[in-house]
Amino acid sequence: MTDSNDAGPGERSRFTPLRERHEALGASFTDFGGWQMPVRYTSDLAEHRAVREAAGIFDISHMAEFTIDGAEAAVFLDHALAGRLSNMAVGKAKYSLLLAEPRGIVDDVIVYRLAEDRFLIISNAGNRDAVSEALRARTRSFAFGRTPELVGDDGSFGFVVGETGVRVEDVSDHYALLAVQGPNAEAIVAATEGITEVSTPWSEQRYYAWADGLFQGTPLLIARTGYTGEDGFELLVAADRAPALWDAVVAAGAGHGLVPCGLAARDTLRLEAGMPLYGHELSLDVVPAQAGLGRVVAADKERFVGKEGIEPADGARVLVGLAASGRRAGRAGYAVTDADGAVVGEITSGALSPTLGHPIAMAFVDPSAADGDLFLDVRGTRIPATVTDLPFYRRKK
Amino acid sequence: MTDLNTLRYSEEHEWVALDGDVATVGVTDYAAERLGDVVFVELPAVGTEIQANTVVGEIESTKSVGELYAPISGEVVEINDDVVADPALVNSGPFEGGWLIKVRVADGALDGLLDRDAYVALTEG
């Protein structure tokens, strides 16, 4: 038998600071965005179920982090990103998009407002360089000839003029990121040894907000965000503290059903939650409205990079959720056809939903076909599918 | 427990156990591990004449689709209905309850397959 989903021989992949933990747990690794990441430890399905029913811990240290600071940081982000970040309260997080010129999406990101004049952006591992390049170009266009850019020894870039300006730094290599996700996540992080000085009581921390604290005396950013459709936290800590934090969370989770989870479970969890994955639902060939992300774009901003390209072309395909019965899943790249067998779309992500027990998929389809009878072309077999609202799965609050 | 040293193996990660003129075929633990949790198995119908090195079925996991190659030629005389109903058997017992098909074969049908040592060398290579 052959596996049609093997990653080809990539360039030399990097490992996160948690490599030894993963190896000790017997993880299988896969190349993801230039990183060797755990794809599973034991079983995709068991890991997926643990997150829905109890809790899972994920190493997501491959994600990239950028800090943006300076008196003009907020207005700079209004210029550089699709959303309006300047009116976000300190302590909040917001999902946003980095648009390409003239159109398309460079990456989807989460922006955290750390202070009036300081933000953190978390972007996808595989887009680290593209995001860095885009931000660098945007500091130049934003400076608008005011001063030469300042490039620090630390690799930061940006400009200052007297009291104003903006400085961007790629801090990805300094940090590790752990996600603790699932209904028991709060109980677990609250019980984690070594986390102290938490700025907001755990139960008062809101979804899409952050708190800070210390882990064994070093700064810890505690974000109530995630990519699973469950409640949960993403913990940002200095890279060299990551193994100790992993151990502490795992120890705290022992009585709460916490399971180490790989990228396979992460992918099926986010798919059930209707969350896009860059390279599948989002790309340089997709505009936000096509992917149901029109709300992310603050079109009323006077100017921002990519504003001219936010309108979908006439007849542009739209992202829909598709549900089917049986057990054969449509997969990324498979055609979607209408009742006459004409190709009207393409699947971007698909799997047999572990939670729902039937195949689900996201697909771009012709708008004219989006409310008719559709079929998935599963390697030559036509499987009837129904357009369904996203997300496929919604947690009980 | 099956003695893995008595089995023959294909480079496509299948195992073959010969009993008289009937060969039982399944996928190896290495294949099951690589696939992840198996959620769908499609097998050829009883009576089908299969040809070695051609695709005769499919094994799907949550993450990927694997094609099932016939490691040998012959007539399918039995398929494992249990594994069709409960594909997880491939993961829990690839050499036991997770067997896939039984094939009536001619003499010498297993020539050219790997022995245990050669197969282990292949997967560790």
Side-chain angles (χ1 to χ4, degrees):
Chain A
M1 49 150 288
T2 54
D3 189 336
S4 60
N5 256 20
D6 266 1
E11 300 95 68
R12 208 160 42 86
S13 283
R14 304 176 55 186
F15 284 88
T16 76
L18 291 164
R19 176 181 186 172
E20 287 175 12
R21 294 296 182 279
H22 305 320
E23 287 176 343
L25 289 161
S28 315
F29 288 85
T30 188
D31 179 275
F32 190 84
W35 294 77
Q36 281 292 311
M37 298 301 292
V39 63
R40 75 181 57 87
Y41 297 86
T42 53
S43 146
D44 304 341
L45 295 173
E47 292 165 23
H48 181 110
R49 266 194 300 271
V51 173
R52 289 279 178 254
E53 292 165 10
I57 180 170
F58 301 79
D59 176 11
I60 51 171
S61 303
H62 58 311
M63 306 286 284
E65 294 87 25
F66 298 85
T67 52
I68 291 87
D69 54 279
E72 293 183 79
V75 271
F76 166 71
L77 289 179
D78 281 353
H79 164 76
L81 298 178
R84 193 181 288 279
L85 291 306
S86 57
N87 64 3
M88 182 161 102
V90 172
K92 293 286 187 215
K94 196 169 192 174
Y95 178 80
S96 197
L97 296 167
L98 196 70
L99 300 178
E101 289 199 287
R103 59 209 321 266
I105 298 169
V106 176
D107 201 7
D108 61 338
V109 298
I110 298 189
V111 184
Y112 300 84
R113 190 163 199 168
L114 303 180
E116 277 305 315
D117 57 358
R118 186 166 169 82
F119 294 80
L120 173 76
I121 291 179
I122 298 187
S123 80
N124 285 300
N127 289 331
R128 178 177 172 178
D129 292 346
V131 169
S132 182
E133 288 301 309
L135 291 174
R136 180 184 294 262
R138 288 162 206 208
T139 58
R140 287 197 202 110
S141 59
F142 179 69
F144 204 62
R146 280 184 285 180
T147 56
E149 76 184 280
L150 288 186
V151 179
D153 294 340
D154 53 7
S156 66
F157 50 85
F159 69 95
V160 286
V161 187
E163 296 291 296
T164 67
V166 61
R167 178 178 157 278
V168 180
E169 186 181 353
D170 179 341
V171 295
S172 308
D173 292 341
H174 303 321
Y175 292 107
L177 194 59
L178 303 187
V180 186
Q181 301 280 305
N184 297 346
E186 186 188 304
I188 292 165
V189 288
T192 299
E193 284 286 325
I195 298 183
T196 56
E197 310 284 325
V198 179
S199 60
T200 311
W202 293 103
S203 62
E204 291 173 25
Q205 293 179 26
R206 296 277 165 264
Y207 198 54
Y208 268 72
W210 59 267
D212 60 12
L214 298 174
F215 174 66
Q216 296 181 349
T218 61
L220 177 72
L221 183 81
I222 301 157
R224 199 158 200 158
T225 44
Y227 196 47
T228 59
E230 296 300 327
D231 183 23
F233 297 82
E234 291 173 325
L235 306 173
L236 188 78
V237 71
D240 63 349
R241 310 306 307 140
L245 180 59
W246 174 277
D247 293 345
V249 174
V250 167
H256 294 282
L258 180 79
V259 167
C261 296
L263 292 184
R266 188 168 160 85
D267 192 43
T268 48
L269 288 159
R270 69 94 195 166
L271 173 58
E272 287 181 346
M275 294 171 166
L277 173 62
Y278 195 89
H280 286 253
E281 287 73 36
L282 309 178
S283 71
L284 290 168
D285 301 320
V286 171
V287 303
Q290 276 179 279
L293 295 175
R295 61 183 161 75
V296 176
V297 183
D300 59 338
K301 288 190 299 183
E302 197 176 335
R303 284 186 59 231
F304 59 93
V305 178
K307 181 173 183 176
E308 290 66 38
I310 57 175
E311 288 302 321
D314 278 346
R317 285 180 171 173
V318 291
L319 190 72
V320 297
L322 295 170
S325 53
R327 300 188 66 78
R328 299 189 77 188
R331 313 253 172 192
Y334 290 9
V336 179
T337 61
D338 64 11
D340 302 329
V343 174
V344 294
E346 185 178 304
I347 294 175
T348 51
S349 296
L352 179 69
S353 164
T355 306
L356 306 172
H358 61 74
I360 56 173
M362 289 194 272
F364 276 111
V365 301
D366 297 340
S368 55
D371 49 9
D373 291 337
L374 294 175
F375 297 84
L376 312 181
D377 179 354
V378 179
R379 300 181 300 285
T381 308
R382 276 164 46 106
I383 309 254
T386 324
V387 174
T388 45
D389 287 341
L390 295 170
F392 299 103
Y393 164 87
R394 202 184 289 276
R395 74 176 183 263
K396 294 167 189 64
K397 295 282 189 213
Chain B
M1 280 299 288
T2 310
D3 178 359
L4 302 186
N5 290 310
T6 64
L7 306 178
R8 303 296 292 275
Y9 300 86
S10 76
E11 291 185 4
E12 305 288 355
H13 307 291
E14 278 127 5
W15 55 265
V16 182
L18 191 61
D19 181 7
D21 65 348
V22 174
T24 303
V25 177
V27 299
T28 64
D29 50 353
Y30 176 86
E33 176 92 6
R34 282 241 320 241
L35 274 166
D37 290 320
V38 176
V39 295
F40 176 79
V41 174
E42 185 176 54
L43 300 174
V46 170
T48 311
E49 285 288 340
I50 58 173
Q51 292 296 320
N53 304 316
T54 62
V55 176
V56 295
E58 284 184 347
I59 296 188
E60 277 195 55
S61 67
T62 44
K63 285 303 288 176
S64 62
V65 181
E67 290 177 319
L68 182 66
Y69 280 82
I72 46 175
S73 301
E75 183 197 348
V76 178
V77 293
E78 192 181 342
I79 64 171
N80 186 352
D81 291 321
D82 291 346
V83 90
V84 173
D86 181 12
L89 290 170
V90 172
N91 298 103
S92 58
F95 296 104
E96 313 287 341
W99 67 272
L100 301 175
I101 55 176
K102 294 189 178 180
V103 183
R104 179 167 293 115
V105 295
D107 282 351
L110 276 58
D111 295 353
L113 292 175
L114 306 171
D115 63 15
R116 180 71 191 167
D117 289 347
Y119 178 68
V120 169
L122 174 80
T123 57
E124 291 176 353

Coordinates of all heavy atoms in Angstrom, one line a residue, chain A residues 1-6 26 28 39-46 263-265 267-268 327-329 331 334 350-352 354 378-379 381, chain B residues 10-14 27 31-40 42 58-69 84-85 87-88:
Chain A
M1 N 0.8 -1.2 0.0 CA 0.0 0.0 0.0 C 0.9 1.2 0.0 O 2.0 1.2 0.5 CB -0.9 0.0 1.2 CG -0.3 -0.3 2.5 SD -1.1 0.6 3.8 CE -0.7 2.2 3.5
T2 N 0.4 2.3 -0.6 CA 1.1 3.5 -0.6 C 0.3 4.6 0.0 O -0.9 4.6 0.0 CB 1.5 4.0 -2.0 OG1 0.2 4.0 -2.8 CG2 2.4 3.0 -2.7
D3 N 1.0 5.6 0.6 CA 0.4 6.7 1.3 C 0.4 7.9 0.4 O 1.5 8.3 0.0 CB 1.1 6.9 2.6 CG 0.4 7.9 3.5 OD1 -0.4 8.7 3.0 OD2 0.7 7.8 4.7
S4 N -0.7 8.4 0.0 CA -0.7 9.5 -1.0 C -0.6 10.8 -0.3 O -0.6 11.9 -1.0 CB -2.0 9.5 -1.8 OG -3.1 9.6 -0.9
N5 N -0.4 10.8 1.0 CA -0.3 12.1 1.7 C 1.1 12.4 2.3 O 1.3 13.3 3.1 CB -1.3 12.2 2.8 CG -2.5 13.1 2.5 OD1 -2.7 13.3 1.3 ND2 -3.2 13.6 3.4
D6 N 2.0 11.6 1.8 CA 3.4 11.8 2.3 C 3.9 13.2 1.9 O 3.8 13.6 0.8 CB 4.3 10.8 1.8 CG 4.4 9.6 2.7 OD1 3.8 9.7 3.8 OD2 5.2 8.6 2.4
G26 N 6.9 8.9 22.0 CA 6.7 8.1 20.8 C 6.0 8.7 19.7 O 5.3 8.0 18.9
S28 N 5.0 10.3 16.1 CA 5.4 10.3 14.7 C 5.5 11.7 14.3 O 4.6 12.5 14.6 CB 4.3 9.6 13.9 OG 3.8 8.5 14.5
V39 N 2.8 14.5 14.5 CA 1.6 14.4 13.8 C 0.6 13.6 14.7 O -0.6 13.9 14.7 CB 1.7 13.7 12.4 CG1 2.3 12.3 12.5 CG2 0.5 13.7 11.6
R40 N 1.1 12.7 15.5 CA 0.3 12.0 16.5 C 1.2 11.3 17.5 O 2.4 11.1 17.2 CB -0.6 10.9 15.8 CG 0.1 9.7 15.4 CD -0.8 8.7 14.7 NE -1.5 9.2 13.5 CZ -1.0 9.2 12.3 NH1 0.2 8.7 12.1 NH2 -1.6 9.8 11.3
Y41 N 0.6 11.1 18.7 CA 1.4 10.3 19.7 C 0.9 8.9 19.8 O 1.7 8.0 19.8 CB 1.3 11.0 21.1 CG 1.8 12.4 21.1 CD1 1.1 13.5 20.7 CD2 3.2 12.7 21.4 CE1 1.6 14.8 20.7 CE2 3.7 14.0 21.4 CZ 2.9 15.0 21.0 OH 3.4 16.3 21.0
T42 N -0.4 8.8 19.8 CA -1.0 7.4 19.9 C -2.0 7.2 18.8 O -1.8 6.4 17.9 CB -1.7 7.2 21.3 OG1 -2.6 8.3 21.5 CG2 -0.7 7.2 22.4
S43 N -3.1 8.0 18.8 CA -4.1 7.8 17.9 C -4.8 9.1 17.6 O -5.2 9.8 18.5 CB -5.2 6.8 18.5 OG -6.5 7.1 18.1
D44 N -4.9 9.4 16.3 CA -5.6 10.7 15.9 C -7.0 10.8 16.6 O -7.3 11.8 17.0 CB -5.9 10.7 14.4 CG -4.6 10.5 13.6 OD1 -3.5 10.7 14.1 OD2 -4.7 10.1 12.4
L45 N -7.7 9.7 16.5 CA -9.1 9.8 17.0 C -9.1 9.9 18.5 O -10.0 10.7 19.0 CB -9.9 8.5 16.6 CG -10.1 8.3 15.1 CD1 -10.7 6.9 14.8 CD2 -11.0 9.4 14.5
A46 N -8.3 9.2 19.2 CA -8.3 9.4 20.7 C -7.8 10.8 21.1 O -8.4 11.4 22.0 CB -7.3 8.3 21.3
L263 N -0.6 17.1 15.2 CA -1.2 18.0 14.2 C -2.4 17.3 13.5 O -3.3 18.0 13.0 CB -0.2 18.4 13.2 CG 0.9 19.4 13.7 CD1 1.8 19.8 12.5 CD2 0.3 20.6 14.3
A264 N -2.4 16.0 13.5 CA -3.5 15.3 12.8 C -4.8 15.7 13.5 O -5.8 16.0 12.9 CB -3.3 13.8 12.8
A265 N -4.8 15.5 14.9 CA -6.0 15.9 15.6 C -6.3 17.4 15.5 O -7.5 17.8 15.4 CB -5.8 15.5 17.1
D267 N -5.9 19.2 13.0 CA -6.5 19.5 11.8 C -8.0 19.1 11.7 O -8.8 19.8 11.2 CB -5.7 18.8 10.6 CG -6.1 19.3 9.3 OD1 -6.3 20.5 9.1 OD2 -6.3 18.4 8.4
T268 N -8.3 17.9 12.3 CA -9.7 17.5 12.3 C -10.5 18.4 13.2 O -11.7 18.6 13.0 CB -9.9 16.0 12.6 OG1 -9.1 15.7 13.8 CG2 -9.4 15.1 11.4
R327 N -18.9 6.7 5.1 CA -17.6 6.8 5.8 C -16.5 7.3 4.9 O -15.4 7.5 5.3 CB -17.2 5.5 6.4 CG -18.2 5.0 7.5 CD -17.7 3.8 8.2 NE -16.6 4.1 9.1 CZ -16.6 4.7 10.2 NH1 -17.8 5.2 10.7 NH2 -15.5 4.9 10.9
R328 N -16.8 7.5 3.6 CA -15.7 7.9 2.6 C -15.7 9.4 2.6 O -16.6 10.0 2.1 CB -16.0 7.3 1.3 CG -16.0 5.8 1.2 CD -16.0 5.3 -0.2 NE -14.7 5.4 -0.8 CZ -14.5 5.1 -2.1 NH1 -15.5 4.8 -2.9 NH2 -13.3 5.2 -2.6
A329 N -14.6 9.9 3.0 CA -14.4 11.4 3.0 C -13.9 11.9 1.7 O -13.0 11.3 1.1 CB -13.5 11.8 4.1
R331 N -11.5 14.7 0.1 CA -10.3 15.2 0.6 C -9.9 16.5 -0.2 O -10.4 16.7 -1.3 CB -9.1 14.2 0.5 CG -9.5 12.8 1.0 CD -8.9 12.5 2.3 NE -9.4 11.3 2.9 CZ -9.1 11.0 4.1 NH1 -8.4 11.7 4.9 NH2 -9.6 9.8 4.6
Y334 N -10.2 17.2 -4.2 CA -11.2 16.5 -5.0 C -12.2 17.4 -5.5 O -12.5 18.5 -4.9 CB -11.9 15.5 -4.0 CG -11.1 14.3 -3.5 CD1 -9.7 14.2 -3.8 CD2 -11.6 13.3 -2.9 CE1 -8.9 13.2 -3.3 CE2 -10.9 12.2 -2.4 CZ -9.6 12.1 -2.6 OH -8.8 11.1 -2.2
G350 N -11.0 18.1 4.0 CA -12.1 17.1 4.2 C -11.6 16.0 5.1 O -10.4 15.6 5.0
A351 N -12.5 15.4 5.8 CA -12.2 14.3 6.6 C -13.5 13.6 7.1 O -14.6 14.2 7.0 CB -11.4 14.7 7.9
L352 N -13.4 12.4 7.6 CA -14.5 11.8 8.3 C -14.5 12.4 9.7 O -13.5 12.3 10.4 CB -14.3 10.3 8.4 CG -15.3 9.5 9.2 CD1 -16.6 9.4 8.4 CD2 -14.8 8.1 9.5
P354 N -14.5 13.0 13.3 CA -14.5 12.1 14.5 C -15.7 12.3 15.4 O -16.2 11.4 16.0 CB -13.2 12.3 15.1 CG -12.3 12.9 14.0 CD -13.3 13.7 13.2
V378 N -15.2 11.2 -5.1 CA -14.2 10.5 -4.3 C -13.5 9.4 -5.1 O -14.0 8.3 -5.2 CB -14.8 10.0 -3.0 CG1 -13.8 9.2 -2.1 CG2 -15.4 11.1 -2.2
R379 N -12.4 9.8 -5.7 CA -11.7 8.9 -6.6 C -12.6 8.1 -7.5 O -12.5 6.9 -7.6 CB -10.8 8.0 -5.7 CG -9.8 8.8 -4.8 CD -9.0 7.9 -4.0 NE -9.7 7.1 -3.0 CZ -10.2 7.6 -1.9 NH1 -10.1 8.8 -1.6 NH2 -10.9 6.7 -1.1
T381 N -15.9 7.8 -7.4 CA -17.3 7.5 -6.9 C -18.0 8.8 -6.5 O -17.4 9.7 -5.9 CB -17.2 6.7 -5.6 OG1 -16.3 5.5 -5.9 CG2 -18.5 6.2 -5.1
Chain B
S10 N 5.6 -7.5 1.2 CA 5.8 -6.8 0.0 C 6.4 -5.4 0.3 O 6.3 -4.9 1.4 CB 4.4 -6.6 -0.7 OG 3.7 -5.5 -0.1
E11 N 6.9 -4.8 -0.7 CA 7.5 -3.4 -0.5 C 6.4 -2.4 -0.3 O 6.7 -1.3 0.1 CB 8.4 -3.0 -1.7 CG 9.7 -3.9 -1.7 CD 10.6 -3.4 -2.8 OE1 10.3 -2.5 -3.5 OE2 11.7 -4.1 -3.0
E12 N 5.2 -2.8 -0.6 CA 4.0 -1.9 -0.3 C 3.5 -2.1 1.1 O 2.3 -1.7 1.4 CB 2.9 -2.2 -1.3 CG 3.3 -2.0 -2.8 CD 3.6 -0.6 -3.2 OE1 3.4 0.3 -2.4 OE2 4.1 -0.4 -4.3
H13 N 4.3 -2.8 2.0 CA 3.9 -2.9 3.4 C 2.7 -3.8 3.6 O 1.8 -3.5 4.4 CB 3.7 -1.6 4.0 CG 4.9 -0.7 3.8 ND1 6.1 -1.0 4.4 CD2 5.1 0.4 3.1 CE1 7.0 0.0 4.0 NE2 6.4 0.8 3.2
E14 N 2.6 -4.9 2.8 CA 1.6 -5.9 3.1 C 2.3 -7.2 3.5 O 3.5 -7.4 3.2 CB 0.8 -6.2 1.8 CG -0.3 -5.2 1.7 CD -0.3 -4.6 0.3 OE1 0.5 -5.0 -0.6 OE2 -1.1 -3.7 0.1
V27 N -2.1 -5.7 6.0 CA -1.0 -4.7 6.0 C -0.2 -4.8 7.3 O -0.7 -5.3 8.3 CB -1.6 -3.3 5.9 CG1 -2.4 -3.1 4.6 CG2 -2.5 -2.8 7.1
A31 N 2.7 -0.2 8.3 CA 1.7 0.5 7.5 C 0.6 1.1 8.4 O 0.2 2.3 8.1 CB 1.2 -0.4 6.5
A32 N 0.1 0.3 9.3 CA -1.0 0.8 10.1 C -0.5 2.0 10.9 O -1.3 3.0 11.1 CB -1.4 -0.3 11.1
E33 N 0.7 2.0 11.4 CA 1.2 3.1 12.2 C 1.3 4.3 11.4 O 1.0 5.4 11.8 CB 2.6 2.7 12.7 CG 3.4 3.7 13.4 CD 3.2 3.6 14.9 OE1 2.5 2.6 15.4 OE2 3.6 4.5 15.6
R34 N 1.8 4.1 10.1 CA 2.0 5.3 9.2 C 0.6 5.9 8.8 O 0.5 7.1 8.6 CB 2.7 4.9 8.0 CG 4.2 4.7 8.2 CD 5.0 5.7 7.4 NE 4.4 5.7 6.0 CZ 5.0 5.4 4.9 NH1 6.2 4.9 5.0 NH2 4.4 5.5 3.8
L35 N -0.4 5.1 8.6 CA -1.7 5.5 8.2 C -2.4 6.3 9.3 O -3.1 7.3 9.1 CB -2.6 4.4 7.9 CG -2.5 3.8 6.5 CD1 -3.2 2.5 6.4 CD2 -3.2 4.8 5.5
G36 N -2.1 5.9 10.6 CA -3.0 6.5 11.7 C -4.3 5.7 11.7 O -4.4 4.6 11.2
D37 N -5.2 6.2 12.5 CA -6.5 5.5 12.7 C -7.2 5.2 11.4 O -7.6 6.1 10.7 CB -7.4 6.3 13.6 CG -6.9 6.4 15.0 OD1 -6.3 5.3 15.5 OD2 -7.0 7.4 15.6
V38 N -7.4 3.9 11.1 CA -8.1 3.5 9.9 C -9.6 3.7 10.1 O -10.1 3.2 11.1 CB -7.7 2.1 9.5 CG1 -8.5 1.7 8.2 CG2 -6.2 2.0 9.2
V39 N -10.2 4.4 9.1 CA -11.7 4.6 9.3 C -12.5 4.0 8.1 O -13.7 4.0 8.2 CB -12.0 6.1 9.4 CG1 -11.4 6.7 10.6 CG2 -11.5 6.9 8.2
F40 N -11.8 3.5 7.1 CA -12.6 3.0 6.0 C -11.7 2.0 5.2 O -10.5 2.3 4.9 CB -13.0 4.1 5.0 CG -13.7 3.6 3.8 CD1 -15.1 3.2 3.8 CD2 -13.0 3.5 2.6 CE1 -15.7 2.7 2.7 CE2 -13.7 3.0 1.4 CZ -15.0 2.6 1.5
E42 N -11.9 -0.7 1.8 CA -12.6 -1.2 0.7 C -11.8 -2.4 0.1 O -10.7 -2.3 -0.2 CB -12.8 -0.2 -0.4 CG -13.7 -0.6 -1.6 CD -13.9 0.5 -2.5 OE1 -12.9 1.1 -3.0 OE2 -15.0 0.8 -2.8
E58 N -8.8 0.0 -1.0 CA -8.4 1.2 -0.4 C -8.4 1.1 1.1 O -9.2 0.4 1.7 CB -9.3 2.4 -0.8 CG -9.1 2.8 -2.2 CD -9.9 4.1 -2.5 OE1 -10.9 4.3 -1.7 OE2 -9.7 4.7 -3.5
I59 N -7.5 1.8 1.7 CA -7.5 1.9 3.2 C -7.4 3.4 3.5 O -6.5 4.1 3.1 CB -6.3 1.2 3.8 CG1 -6.4 -0.3 3.6 CG2 -6.3 1.5 5.3 CD1 -5.4 -1.1 4.3
E60 N -8.4 3.9 4.1 CA -8.4 5.4 4.5 C -8.3 5.5 6.0 O -8.9 4.8 6.8 CB -9.8 6.0 4.1 CG -9.9 6.4 2.7 CD -11.0 7.3 2.4 OE1 -11.1 8.4 3.1 OE2 -11.9 7.0 1.6
S61 N -7.5 6.5 6.3 CA -7.4 6.9 7.7 C -8.0 8.3 7.8 O -8.4 8.9 6.9 CB -5.9 6.9 8.2 OG -5.2 7.9 7.5
T62 N -8.0 8.9 9.1 CA -8.5 10.3 9.2 C -7.6 11.2 8.4 O -8.1 12.2 7.9 CB -8.4 10.7 10.7 OG1 -7.1 10.3 11.2 CG2 -9.5 10.1 11.5
K63 N -6.3 10.9 8.2 CA -5.4 11.8 7.6 C -5.2 11.5 6.1 O -4.7 12.4 5.4 CB -4.1 11.9 8.3 CG -4.1 12.6 9.6 CD -4.6 14.1 9.4 CE -3.6 15.0 8.7 NZ -4.1 16.3 8.5
S64 N -5.3 10.3 5.7 CA -4.8 10.0 4.3 C -5.5 8.8 3.7 O -6.3 8.1 4.4 CB -3.3 9.7 4.4 OG -3.0 8.6 5.2
V65 N -5.3 8.6 2.4 CA -5.8 7.5 1.7 C -4.7 6.6 1.2 O -3.8 7.1 0.6 CB -6.6 8.1 0.4 CG1 -7.2 6.9 -0.3 CG2 -7.6 9.1 0.9
G66 N -4.8 5.4 1.5 CA -3.8 4.4 1.1 C -4.4 3.5 0.0 O -5.6 3.1 0.2
E67 N -3.7 3.2 -1.0 CA -4.2 2.2 -2.0 C -3.7 0.8 -1.6 O -2.5 0.7 -1.1 CB -3.7 2.6 -3.4 CG -4.4 3.8 -3.9 CD -3.9 4.2 -5.2 OE1 -2.6 4.2 -5.4 OE2 -4.7 4.7 -6.0
L68 N -4.6 -0.1 -1.7 CA -4.2 -1.5 -1.3 C -3.7 -2.2 -2.6 O -4.5 -2.4 -3.5 CB -5.4 -2.2 -0.7 CG -5.2 -3.6 -0.2 CD1 -4.3 -3.6 1.0 CD2 -6.6 -4.2 0.2
Y69 N -2.5 -2.6 -2.6 CA -1.9 -3.3 -3.8 C -2.0 -4.8 -3.5 O -1.7 -5.2 -2.4 CB -0.4 -2.9 -4.0 CG -0.3 -1.6 -4.7 CD1 -0.4 -0.4 -4.0 CD2 -0.1 -1.5 -6.1 CE1 -0.3 0.8 -4.7 CE2 0.1 -0.3 -6.7 CZ 0.0 0.8 -6.0 OH 0.1 2.0 -6.7
V84 N -14.2 -4.6 7.5 CA -15.0 -3.6 6.8 C -15.9 -2.9 7.7 O -16.1 -1.7 7.7 CB -15.8 -4.3 5.6 CG1 -16.7 -3.3 4.9 CG2 -14.8 -4.9 4.6
A85 N -16.5 -3.7 8.6 CA -17.5 -3.1 9.6 C -16.7 -2.3 10.7 O -17.2 -1.3 11.2 CB -18.3 -4.2 10.3
P87 N -13.0 -0.9 10.9 CA -11.7 -0.7 10.3 C -10.6 -0.5 11.3 O -9.4 -0.7 11.0 CB -11.8 0.6 9.4 CG -13.3 0.7 9.2 CD -14.0 0.2 10.4
A88 N -11.0 -0.2 12.6 CA -10.0 0.0 13.6 C -9.2 -1.3 13.9 O -8.1 -1.2 14.5 CB -10.6 0.5 14.9

